[in-house]
Amino acid sequence: TQSTWDDGFEPSGRMHIAQGIFKAVNVNKCTRSGGIFIFWVADWFALMNDKMGGDLEKIKIVGQYFIEVWRAAGMDMSRVKFAWCAEEITKNAEAYWTQALDVARRFTLARIRKCCQIMGRHENSLTGAQILYPVMQCTDIFFLKADVCQLGVDQKKVNMLAREYCDFAGIKLKPVILSHHMLYGLLPGQAKMSKSNPDSAIFMEDTKEDVERKIMNAHCPKEPEKDDGKAEQDGEDSLQIIKDPLKNPCLDYVKNIILSTPGAKFVTEKKTYTDFENVKSDFLSGVLSENQLKKGIISCINELLEPVRKHFKENEFARDVLEKVKEFKKESTNTTQPKTFKSLKIEGTENCSVVFAPFPSTTLSVGHVLNIISTLQRAPKSNPLILWIPNWSAVVNNVFDGSLKVIDAAYSFLIETLKFVAPELMERVKVVHQKDAILQNNSGDYWISVINAGRHFPVSRICEIDPTKENAGFVIGSLMHVADIVSLRPALVFSTDGHLSKLHQLAVDFLNHSSSLSGAPKVPELKVEKHIVTDLLIGAENDETKREILMNDQAADVKKKINRSFCEPSNVEVCPPLILAEHLGFTNSKFSISRKEENGGNKDYSTIADLRSDFASGALHPGDLKPSVIKVVDQFVQKVRDHSKDAKMKTIDAILSAYIKKLEKK
């Protein structure tokens, strides 16, 4: 069976010799074994790393430049395929993001941070986008169905992440990790080349004069430098596959560039070498001087670069691409944002009022439903009214162990319940499922919003929303929340939940930051509504099934729970039955109390203020309040019970019951 090899490259400016000649050599070695090599042109990854000022069009041009270099450098293109990240992911959005969200939910933030080397960043200075980066790179391996990952040793940690994911996900055939050496920088103390310093490496379009100047000035020690522990502290030792105390970049070029292909020769004025160890031995013993070594390197490197120079001089397309890349380098890098704001636009939602459904649980309480109804009712009737169902965000936050089937069932129960108990209200509500909205529109634009939000926010800012969250999925889910609001383009965003309010504010902060860009949505107004607290036992019980009335409770359950509820005489500040009476007892304009004549007789209340006044004064006793509350709450829940035998409700119940049984077995 033909094997599939993969490597990804981030179009990020000029190409140095390690990416050019060294990569071409390695790819040809791999394809000679009979495999197909897939290059993942990681344009979105370059965007996440703020390359080319975050301009995706410029990043694509740099990607074309890389391909032209390899074509000229002798890479066997007959067994190489190039797949562009943005294009391929957008075409296969559901499959790709389903797996990416699964990867994110399974790893802690601490584990993902350890992959920071792949972006050249220290893990304590990461942005949200740089958490998404290794998650996507791990996903790429499975998306491309790679048998072998052939990348630099600097990316070993994220490749190992993919193997760890196989254990979590029950994937038996793990990808093989084949890491290659990282060429040293030409200057002292450089464990690898640096694009930010042009003298640290030979670049593929360097002139003969550039090559001579750089090599003649290159660091070329004969003895190992004193170890001050800095290399280990900076993680440089992890970039060595074979321990090399000398770290001589000139010898490195001879071994891994000049003598790396079958039949290659290294020619100096003294002798011709075919074996690297002989070159090293002669140099260290003084048989081969530093000047002779460097002159030989200059000659050989120029010979390797000449076909590339010729290609970019004679090929019109290649010449045009190179000129554009050079121009990008000259342009100011003061701004890291594209001039045009790019995002998904969901049809029919602009200037809407939106209410975000909280993440579901295995239970649906009366209080949960009342909070949503109350919030929806406060939205102005002049605007479209959206109930947003963040089902993919629930997946990445590991709700129901990331099972979209169970998440959708729980949300369906919520939606059906709202239709049963508030039919008139729900007639003007448009329910929008996050996953469907993303996939039915240009999904690529949605994820660009996620990336751009991630570029703006440091991880520390996102973690402030909930410091207890330790999962990488929380960071990505928070960025998705920003993209949700950006895509909806609402006028009003409602919430009663403190956590949701903080996420809404994150989106507002991002939109304020982006307000100067062409096409940026208006910043919505945030409305925080008072949360309806229906905890019958006031925190004395952790089990929600005991402290809340559930929408699938039977009449006996409702009666038992309310009779046990906290309800001190005259205490109107903390009285769950009064809260339930306020929101359910006045739907027919009056709330009726039935009691014996000696206790004051029957009484109808037309306002909650009158009811509270009598309860506060002692004129209404808890023992007389509770039976009337039981009656109105049971009537409310009965509206759902009446549909319990419907086919859809039975399917929902079966899915949720199966999940609960699975949990109980654990």
Side-chain angles (χ1 to χ4, degrees):
T1 303
Q2 186 170 257
S3 59
T4 299
W5 302 61
D6 99 295
D7 189 0
F9 71 92
E10 184 183 296
S12 53
R14 299 171 66 196
M15 181 189 278
H16 53 56
I17 198 167
Q19 294 171 307
I21 301 296
F22 189 43
K23 176 60 66 179
V25 167
N26 284 337
V27 168
N28 289 344
K29 286 178 181 178
C30 296
T31 56
R32 275 198 296 269
S33 71
I36 291 291
F37 206 102
I38 299 177
F39 266 111
W40 190 235
V41 189
D43 43 10
W44 269 359
F45 290 78
L47 179 65
M48 281 184 271
N49 247 346
D50 282 331
K51 299 299 169 65
M52 297 296 111
D55 189 324
L56 196 56
E57 292 307 311
K58 289 181 180 179
I59 290 168
K60 289 178 180 177
I61 291 170
V62 175
Q64 293 170 341
Y65 157 70
F66 273 44
I67 294 171
E68 288 302 309
V69 170
W70 285 320
R71 194 186 309 279
M75 185 180 288
D76 181 6
M77 293 296 188
S78 67
R79 303 193 67 82
V80 172
K81 295 179 180 178
F82 292 94
W84 292 77
C85 169
E87 179 183 342
E88 294 299 322
I89 291 176
T90 300
K91 284 194 302 186
N92 302 278
E94 183 169 7
Y96 184 90
W97 291 109
T98 295
Q99 185 143 47
L101 299 179
D102 191 58
V103 170
R105 77 176 182 87
R106 292 180 184 271
F107 289 101
T108 65
L109 196 53
R111 175 63 184 91
I112 297 296
R113 276 180 164 141
K114 292 183 183 299
C115 300
C116 67
Q117 276 186 344
I118 63 174
M119 295 159 289
R121 299 286 195 274
H122 289 290
E123 60 183 85
N124 293 325
S125 59
L126 298 179
T127 65
Q130 289 160 343
I131 295 300
L132 180 59
Y133 191 114
V135 168
M136 288 179 66
Q137 189 169 355
C138 178
T139 305
D140 294 342
I141 294 169
F142 303 100
F143 179 70
L144 296 172
K145 297 180 171 59
D147 301 303
V148 183
C149 303
Q150 204 290 294
L151 299 100
V153 69
D154 61 333
Q155 303 191 49
K156 181 180 177 181
K157 288 182 179 180
V158 77
N159 289 330
M160 293 307 295
L161 190 78
R163 290 178 62 87
E164 290 174 35
Y165 174 73
C166 290
D167 293 331
F168 288 132
I171 299 172
K172 292 183 179 180
L173 292 177
K174 299 181 180 181
V176 174
I177 310 304
L178 183 60
S179 302
H180 65 246
H181 169 68
M182 302 294 292
L183 286 179
Y184 302 134
L186 293 175
L187 304 179
Q190 291 187 320
K192 65 176 183 176
M193 298 175 177
S194 170
K195 288 186 181 181
S196 61
N197 187 337
D199 286 334
S200 76
I202 302 298
F203 287 85
M204 294 302 294
E205 74 276 8
D206 277 352
T207 65
K208 291 180 180 180
E209 293 75 19
D210 290 330
V211 173
E212 182 172 7
R213 174 178 53 81
K214 292 180 181 182
I215 296 298
M216 292 307 294
N217 292 329
H219 185 51
C220 192
K222 285 191 174 183
E223 295 181 355
E225 295 181 352
K226 185 178 179 181
D227 185 6
D228 58 3
K230 185 176 184 298
E232 184 176 355
Q233 182 180 351
D234 291 343
E236 292 178 3
D237 284 348
S238 66
L239 298 180
Q240 292 192 1
I241 297 174
I242 299 173
K243 196 72 174 177
D244 177 21
L246 191 59
K247 299 178 184 177
N248 184 317
C250 295
L251 291 176
D252 199 23
Y253 271 45
V254 174
K255 179 180 180 181
N256 291 295
I257 298 290
I258 298 169
L259 291 176
S260 61
T261 56
K265 297 177 181 179
F266 175 52
V267 181
T268 70
E269 63 183 51
K270 273 201 167 185
K271 60 190 288 191
T272 298
Y273 297 88
T274 58
D275 181 73
F276 167 72
E277 291 301 326
N278 291 336
V279 179
K280 182 178 180 181
S281 176
D282 281 1
F283 172 68
L284 295 179
S285 67
V287 172
L288 183 65
S289 71
E290 179 178 329
N291 187 66
Q292 291 167 338
L293 173 69
K294 289 183 173 180
K295 289 289 186 182
I297 293 171
I298 291 167
S299 176
C300 291
I301 292 298
N302 275 320
E303 186 177 339
L304 290 170
L305 292 183
E306 192 55 37
V308 180
R309 296 184 186 124
K310 184 178 179 182
H311 180 68
F312 280 96
K313 182 178 181 180
E314 298 179 355
N315 184 284
E316 184 178 352
F317 175 77
R319 186 171 63 249
D320 181 58
V321 167
L322 178 58
E323 287 305 313
K324 288 178 180 177
V325 172
K326 286 181 176 179
E327 192 62 33
F328 298 159
K329 192 70 176 176
K330 295 176 186 176
E331 293 175 0
S332 171
T333 56
N334 290 335
T335 177
T336 59
Q337 294 192 71
K339 295 179 181 179
T340 301
F341 188 92
K342 192 166 186 178
S343 69
L344 181 68
K345 294 181 182 179
I346 300 173
E347 188 176 349
T349 65
E350 192 160 3
N351 293 320
C352 69
S353 299
V354 62
V355 175
F356 278 68
F359 291 152
S361 69
T362 53
T363 59
L364 179 61
S365 70
V366 167
H368 186 91
V369 173
L370 289 177
N371 272 292
I372 293 176
I373 290 173
S374 176
T375 308
L376 289 169
Q377 287 173 334
R378 282 172 169 75
K381 294 184 178 180
S382 56
N383 296 354
L385 181 54
I386 304 296
L387 177 61
W388 183 256
I389 307 297
N391 49 352
W392 255 2
S393 291
V395 169
V396 80
N397 277 277
N398 206 32
V399 176
F400 298 140
D401 299 316
S403 171
L404 184 63
K405 180 180 179 181
V406 182
I407 289 167
D408 281 343
Y411 274 134
S412 292
F413 184 40
L414 169 64
I415 295 163
E416 294 303 305
T417 294
L418 291 171
K419 290 177 181 177
F420 298 150
V421 300
E424 291 184 9
L425 172 64
M426 291 304 291
E427 281 182 6
R428 75 180 192 95
V429 174
K430 181 180 180 181
V431 178
V432 182
H433 288 75
Q434 179 192 41
K435 178 190 171 186
D436 294 342
I438 294 169
L439 295 178
Q440 289 168 5
N441 294 276
N442 188 348
S443 65
D445 287 348
Y446 176 86
W447 293 105
I448 286 176
S449 292
V450 172
I451 291 168
N452 283 332
R455 290 169 60 218
H456 175 63
F457 290 112
V459 173
S460 57
R461 167 67 178 87
I462 298 168
C463 289
E464 286 173 4
I465 295 168
D466 188 345
T468 67
K469 300 292 185 182
E470 298 178 349
N471 197 276
F474 173 73
V475 171
I476 294 171
S478 299
L479 298 177
M480 290 172 68
H481 192 94
V482 174
D484 292 343
I485 290 179
V486 168
S487 303
L488 285 162
R489 298 175 178 249
L492 291 168
V493 182
F494 288 87
S495 68
T496 61
D497 179 276
H499 173 76
L500 278 175
S501 298
K502 291 178 181 178
L503 287 172
H504 295 343
Q505 187 60 53
L506 194 72
V508 166
D509 290 350
F510 176 67
L511 287 171
N512 277 322
H513 167 75
S514 308
S515 60
S516 62
L517 301 181
S518 173
K522 295 178 182 177
V523 179
E525 181 182 354
L526 300 186
K527 290 277 190 179
V528 181
E529 302 295 333
K530 184 179 179 182
H531 186 71
I532 301 170
V533 180
T534 56
D535 181 353
L536 298 173
L537 301 178
I538 313 300
E541 173 61 61
N542 291 327
D543 187 349
E544 188 178 37
T545 63
K546 295 179 180 178
R547 59 183 171 83
E548 294 275 2
I549 305 294
L550 306 183
M551 293 307 302
N552 57 355
D553 273 348
Q554 297 303 308
D557 299 319
V558 173
K559 182 178 180 180
K560 179 180 178 182
K561 289 179 180 180
I562 293 177
N563 280 334
R564 292 180 61 231
S565 66
F566 183 86
C567 190
E568 287 182 335
S570 301
N571 184 351
V572 294
E573 297 301 320
V574 183
C575 185
L578 268 181
I579 293 172
L580 290 169
E582 176 182 356
H583 292 279
L584 295 175
F586 295 91
T587 54
N588 295 318
S589 75
K590 63 180 182 178
F591 179 67
S592 300
I593 296 289
S594 299
R595 58 188 172 184
K596 295 177 181 179
E597 286 298 327
E598 58 264 32
N599 294 331
N602 298 341
K603 186 172 182 179
D604 293 336
Y605 292 90
S606 57
T607 68
I608 184 62
D610 291 340
L611 182 67
R612 284 179 172 275
S613 176
D614 271 10
F615 192 79
S617 69
L620 177 62
H621 190 271
D624 296 321
L625 172 65
K626 285 184 176 182
S628 295
V629 173
I630 290 170
K631 182 179 179 180
V632 295
V633 171
D634 194 59
Q635 287 172 347
F636 186 72
V637 176
Q638 185 61 42
K639 294 175 182 178
V640 177
R641 290 192 209 118
D642 289 342
H643 294 272
S644 62
K645 301 300 181 183
D646 293 357
K648 187 171 185 177
M649 294 295 283
K650 288 173 72 174
T651 300
I652 291 169
D653 182 64
I655 294 170
L656 294 176
S657 296
Y659 178 76
I660 292 169
K661 286 180 181 178
K662 184 179 176 182
L663 283 183
E664 290 171 348
K665 288 181 180 179
K666 288 183 179 180

